[in-house]
């Protein structure tokens, strides 16, 4: 409890000044407490169906985790942001909550979609006989689409068994990028480690190779033959 003692009437201005200064300090304290409470609330309340601590898929980066929901002021406007951490890449991304739909951010795939994607990688490869540069662009677009089935198609089409010719450098780069995205999401959905998810994928790829060898069939070729096919090498 704070008390002020008036000895003479001349002390009144000094006491009033003290009360004014105290009220200002108290107001600042109240604003800080309010800001802390607001930030805490925003970190736990869902935004656009997403919540703090949840795994999400950002198309061009793959699986990440929402570690906070922050509010920043930009050019006088308050902007609410999802803070997404990609631990394996040692990267943090801030995405405006109002733009999650337009950028394609989504929740992890449902178990049914994961099962369908695993069936996809065990299927027969579909190779287009077009320029490698064109096919490479299509593969990259599929990888960055964020769609688990399309990523599975890239893994399926670029996979090479031991009995098949080795991949070119550029094919290998795209294959590893697709495989990494694919494995990370399967691990997150199944709450397993990435090595365990990789074994599951390799098992499905092995099934595809065994079926192809037993049937003595070649990958399905789409489109016309292009003389610039050798660019892949």
């Amino acid at each position: 409890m704070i008390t002020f003692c008036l000895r003479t009437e001349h002390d009144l201005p000094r006491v009033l000044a003290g009360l004014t200064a105290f009220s200002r300090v108290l107001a600042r304290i109240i604003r800080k407490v309010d800001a802390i409470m607001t930030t805490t609330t925003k970190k736990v309340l869902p935004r656009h169906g997403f919540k703090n601590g949840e795994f999400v898929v950002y198309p061009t980066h793959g699986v990440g985790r929402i570690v906070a929901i922050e509010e920043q002021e930009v050019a006088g406007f308050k902007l609410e942001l999802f803070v997404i951490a990609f631990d394996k890449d040692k990267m943090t991304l801030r995405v405006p909550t109002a733009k999650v739909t337009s950028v394609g951010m989504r929740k992890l795939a449902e178990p049914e979609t994961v099962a369908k994607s695993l069936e996809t990688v065990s299927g027969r490869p579909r190779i287009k006989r077009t320029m490698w540069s064109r096919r490479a662009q299509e593969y990259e677009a599929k990888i960055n689409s964020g769609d688990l089935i399309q990523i599975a198609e890239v893994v399926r089409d670029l996979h090479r068994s031991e009995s098949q010719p080795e991949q070119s450098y550029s094919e290998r780069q795209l294959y590893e990028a697709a495989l990494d995205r694919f494995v990370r999401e399967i691990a997150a959905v199944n709450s397993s480690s990435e090595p365990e998810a990789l074994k599951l994928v390799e098992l499905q790829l092995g099934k595809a190779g065994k079926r192809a060898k037993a049937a003595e069939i070649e990958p399905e070729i789409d489109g016309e033959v292009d003389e610039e096919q050798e660019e892949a090498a």
Side-chain angles (χ1 to χ4, degrees):
M1 182 174 178
I2 300 176
T3 58
F4 294 91
C5 181
L6 291 177
R7 295 179 179 177
T8 66
E9 62 180 12
H10 299 293
D11 291 334
L12 183 59
R14 177 179 58 81
V15 172
L16 290 175
L19 287 172
T20 301
F22 175 74
S23 64
R24 289 174 180 171
V25 172
L26 184 61
R28 286 199 296 268
I29 293 173
I30 292 173
R31 284 197 297 269
K32 287 182 178 180
V33 171
D34 183 61
I36 293 171
M37 294 298 294
T38 301
T39 302
T40 303
T41 302
K42 288 180 178 177
K43 287 185 178 181
V44 297
L45 289 179
R47 292 291 187 278
H48 300 276
F50 298 98
K51 60 184 179 180
N52 189 35
E54 180 180 12
F55 281 109
V56 295
V57 177
Y58 193 86
T60 54
H61 298 295
V63 175
R65 186 197 291 269
I66 297 175
V67 295
I69 302 174
E70 295 181 346
E71 188 177 85
Q72 292 184 1
E73 188 169 324
V74 180
F77 295 94
K78 289 184 178 180
L79 193 63
E80 194 175 59
L81 305 165
F82 286 119
V83 182
I84 306 171
F86 300 86
D87 294 334
K88 191 171 182 178
D89 299 325
K90 296 180 180 179
M91 180 183 71
T92 300
L93 189 68
R94 284 173 169 77
V95 181
T97 58
K99 292 189 176 182
V100 292
T101 302
S102 62
V103 301
M105 193 174 97
R106 64 171 174 83
K107 290 179 174 289
L108 292 176
E110 295 294 330
E112 295 79 8
T113 303
V114 171
K116 185 178 179 180
S117 69
L118 290 171
E119 289 180 8
T120 299
V121 298
S122 65
R124 185 180 180 183
R126 296 174 62 89
I127 308 298
K128 288 186 177 180
R129 283 264 179 133
T130 59
M131 292 175 59
W132 165 247
S133 58
R134 188 181 305 166
R135 283 196 291 132
Q137 289 177 353
E138 291 178 359
Y139 289 143
E140 191 168 2
K142 285 186 174 184
I143 293 171
N144 291 327
S145 69
D147 185 287
L148 192 63
I149 302 299
Q150 291 192 43
I151 295 172
E153 290 173 352
V154 178
V155 174
R156 176 198 66 195
D157 294 346
L158 292 180
H159 174 70
R160 298 289 182 271
S161 65
E162 294 180 357
S163 61
Q164 292 177 307
E166 291 186 0
Q167 299 161 320
S168 68
Y169 176 77
S170 52
E171 283 179 323
R172 186 70 185 174
Q173 291 287 97
L174 286 170
Y175 173 74
E176 290 180 350
L179 184 63
D180 181 67
R181 296 275 181 91
F182 192 54
V183 166
R184 284 199 210 182
E185 184 158 2
I186 290 176
V189 173
N190 293 341
S191 299
S192 65
S193 67
E194 288 187 23
E196 290 173 334
L198 178 59
K199 287 181 181 179
L200 179 61
V201 174
E202 289 176 338
L203 178 63
Q204 295 301 112
L205 290 170
K207 289 180 180 180
K210 287 179 181 178
R211 282 201 296 268
K213 186 176 181 180
E216 295 184 351
I217 59 176
E218 295 294 328
E220 185 175 340
I221 307 297
D222 291 340
E224 299 178 355
V225 175
D226 192 309
E227 292 180 357
E228 298 187 48
Q229 176 88 7
E230 67 273 9
E231 287 189 15

